[in-house]
Amino acid sequence: MVHEKNLDQFETMSDLVRELGVQEWDIDVPCPAGRWFRDGKRKELLRDMSEKIRHAYGGGYHGGSSGLACGSHLMTVGPDGAAAKCGFYLDEPAGNVGDGVSKAWRRMKHVPLSDLDCDCDELDQCAGGCRFRAEVLEGSDLSPDIVQCYARGVK
Ligand code: SF4
Ligand code: SF4
């Protein structure tokens, strides 16, 4: 976990990851909420953290695909069998694998990139970032994900 107190060691860690020959490195930023984010200083920290995403390479299992935002190929199964796109949505699952994996899969909600309120040249590369974070921070799962906007220098 990278945090306020060790953010200055990030570049060293990035060098180490590459030296070790790691083939894919995914980096993400936590989804902030509530008073934590309303503090202006924290917004600056979020911006600093977001810029580190640029060090990621090699793919990204939460990336968009087939014209759909974030992880159209993903399904998370909770300990009780609840199935959702990812752990953030397990409190409103699409189904339960006890009724069949493919049935749960077919009920999964996907967000088409063409529906996003994103009007920028980065859309192909970014694929709208994280839909959960967009909803938490900007109020709609169609909003831009500001972590990706920060990382890509999009205003
Ligand atoms: S950089 Fe921001 S506005 Fe552009 S596609 Fe990504 S989330 Fe949307
Ligand atoms: S909402 Fe965020 S964490 Fe969940 S699958 Fe999409 S990108 Fe990944």
Side-chain angles (χ1 to χ4, degrees), residues 118 120 123 126 144-145 148-149 152 154:
C118 292
C120 86
L123 186 58
C126 166
D145 168 8
Q148 287 290 342
C149 300
R152 295 167 188 279
V154 174

Side-chain angles (χ1 to χ4, degrees), residues 32-48:
R35 283 184 301 173
W36 187 92
F37 189 64
R38 286 198 285 274
D39 178 338
K41 196 172 143 229
R42 302 293 184 187
K43 266 191 177 174
E44 268 177 46
L45 177 61
L46 184 66
R47 185 186 302 265
D48 289 349

Side-chain angles (χ1 to χ4, degrees), residues 55-81:
H55 288 266
Y57 62 86
Y61 50 80
H62 288 239
S65 57
S66 312
L68 301 169
C70 78
S72 60
H73 48 288
L74 287 177
M75 184 167 83
T76 294
V77 179
D80 59 354

